């Protein structure tokens, strides 16, 4: 987690707005409302936890949206499973990142196009839950404007849950979030023991 | 995490068997094999992560089994979503625990009946993945015999993934596991801020 406030004033404004909302929430603590949940840290289970919550929400008959900010082998299982279900609006970011400093503009463009999909769902109260899978990576590489992302998250409908996954959640996102879990590695078969990544668990 | 070895010899035998298997695995590191994954700690996302991996496995066309060792409001979303899908064998433990020291026998009987379902799947290589949701709680309360559970886990088919969730994973299970993630609370809306648990996220 890191501090990367480009505009401390907007951060302060967001925190003031959050405090106001929190006070209102506490005053009527029995009311349901949308939660901003962040799943971060190096341990296994961040994305899969987000997808498990998606399944739970679908089990309640909710409508959900997904934007995956990393395209790759890791996402094939979830995509195959969720993409064509009813009540699921599923987007995968363009071609994936080039991770190439020579072609940074293309990565920025791909991430921003994905964010447009996210923003559309974050402005639509028919979505009960929006999963922004690996968004933290796009923020880490500064492919997206953090202030814009935080403002859009904060402006979402009151009843909508938003889930952000990925390592290196920025501190300002953690400040804005309602619930944050950090996944810690106790041990890791593949890294510690040189075992190949396993389909179903890792892929 | 705690040490609760009733029979240190069996623990030593299991660890020796595991070491042998690990050495074989490392010798042929490109081979796929089943992983024993433990998701523990106090943070949010343990069960949902297990269910997300279930969805991923289903996306790969795998057959999966689930035994939920806690019955309650928290499991309703997952159950509604997964129970009737093809390729899913779904069990929820009897009536749930009484949590009553006066009726401990009933809790022990319910947990052991659930373990029989788990064991059946852990002996059947048609199951690619077995999710043992909140098993750690049944172990914590000593409703199940830890040595029996560990032996059954270790004896499962070579290609089968097993996922164990719940707080307070016993140290011997961590020792046996291939991958262990501990979920740490950075902040928690409901506990820290007095907000009601939210359907879709918590329920």
């Amino acid at each position: 987690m890191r501090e990367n406030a480009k505009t401390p004033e907007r951060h302060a404004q967001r925190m003031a707005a959050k405090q106001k909302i929190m006070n209102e929430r506490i005053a009527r603590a029995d009311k349901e409302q949308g939660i901003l949940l962040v799943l971060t840290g190096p341990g296994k289970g961040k994305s899969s936890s987000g997808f498990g919550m998606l399944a739970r929400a679908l089990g309640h008959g909710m409508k959900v949206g997904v934007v995956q900010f990393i395209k790759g082998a890791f996402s094939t299982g979830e995509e195959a499973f969720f993409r064509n279900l009813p009540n699921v609006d599923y987007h995968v970011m363009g071609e994936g990142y080039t991770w190439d400093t020579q072609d940074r503009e293309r990565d920025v463009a791909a991430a921003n196009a994905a964010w447009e999909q996210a923003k559309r769902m974050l402005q639509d109260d028919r979505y009960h839950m929006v999963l922004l899978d690996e968004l933290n990576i796009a923020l880490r590489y500064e492919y997206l404007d953090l202030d814009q992302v935080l403002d859009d998250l904060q402006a979402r409908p009151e009843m909508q849950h938003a889930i952000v996954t990925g390592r290196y959640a920025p501190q300002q996102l953690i400040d804005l979030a309602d619930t944050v879990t950090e996944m810690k590695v106790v041990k890791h078969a593949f890294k510690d023991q040189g075992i190949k990544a396993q389909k179903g668990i890792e892929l």
Side-chain angles (χ1 to χ4, degrees), chain A:
Chain A
M1 304 169 204
R2 73 216 158 96
E3 193 66 58
N4 60 354
K6 277 180 278 186
T7 54
E9 300 74 16
R10 283 175 72 182
H11 181 60
Q13 283 164 11
R14 272 192 300 269
M15 289 301 101
K18 179 178 160 73
Q19 190 56 53
K20 185 163 172 289
I21 292 165
M22 292 308 305
N23 289 342
E24 289 166 11
R25 285 183 177 181
I26 291 164
R28 45 183 178 134
D30 61 333
K31 192 180 179 307
E32 300 228 336
Q33 51 220 319
I35 291 296
L36 174 57
L37 174 70
V38 174
L39 302 166
T40 193
K44 242 206 92 36
K46 299 179 289 295
S47 289
S48 53
S49 184
F51 281 98
M53 290 174 197
L54 211 68
R56 183 181 295 160
L58 290 167
H60 286 298
M62 295 175 169
K63 178 175 172 66
V64 302
V66 183
V67 181
Q68 290 196 292
F69 285 85
I70 297 251
K71 183 188 171 71
F74 287 100
S75 63
T76 56
E78 295 94 338
E79 191 177 346
F81 184 73
F82 284 104
R83 183 182 271 289
N84 297 312
L85 291 179
N87 286 333
V88 179
D89 188 352
Y90 203 106
H91 295 272
V92 179
M93 198 193 75
E95 301 295 306
Y97 302 118
T98 60
W99 303 109
D100 180 353
T101 52
Q102 301 304 306
D103 202 357
R104 185 175 161 82
E105 274 177 38
R106 194 178 129 186
D107 289 354
V108 168
N112 278 279
W115 186 253
E116 287 306 308
Q117 293 293 338
K119 188 170 177 172
R120 175 181 56 78
M121 297 192 276
L122 292 170
Q123 292 176 337
D124 184 344
D125 65 7
R126 290 172 302 174
Y127 292 87
H128 294 90
M129 181 181 285
V130 179
L131 172 59
L132 303 166
D133 187 44
E134 300 290 2
L135 173 61
N136 289 335
I137 301 300
L139 294 172
R140 171 78 167 177
Y141 285 89
E142 300 185 351
Y143 290 159
L144 294 172
D145 180 71
L146 177 60
D147 278 313
Q148 185 63 51
V149 165
L150 295 174
D151 286 345
D152 291 344
L153 282 169
Q154 192 166 33
R156 75 190 195 284
E158 191 190 8
M159 296 298 290
Q160 186 182 82
H161 301 303
I163 303 172
V164 177
T165 77
R167 280 193 191 203
Y168 311 116
Q171 186 59 50
Q172 287 178 284
L173 174 61
I174 289 169
D175 293 343
L176 188 66
D178 299 298
T179 298
V180 180
T181 300
E182 188 184 339
M183 313 242 170
K184 196 180 135 190
V185 180
V186 177
K187 60 162 105 169
H188 194 304
F190 316 115
K191 288 180 187 159
D192 299 350
Q193 299 146 12
I195 297 175
K196 189 184 172 195
Q198 304 300 302
K199 197 186 266 190
I201 294 272
E202 286 280 287
L203 302 182

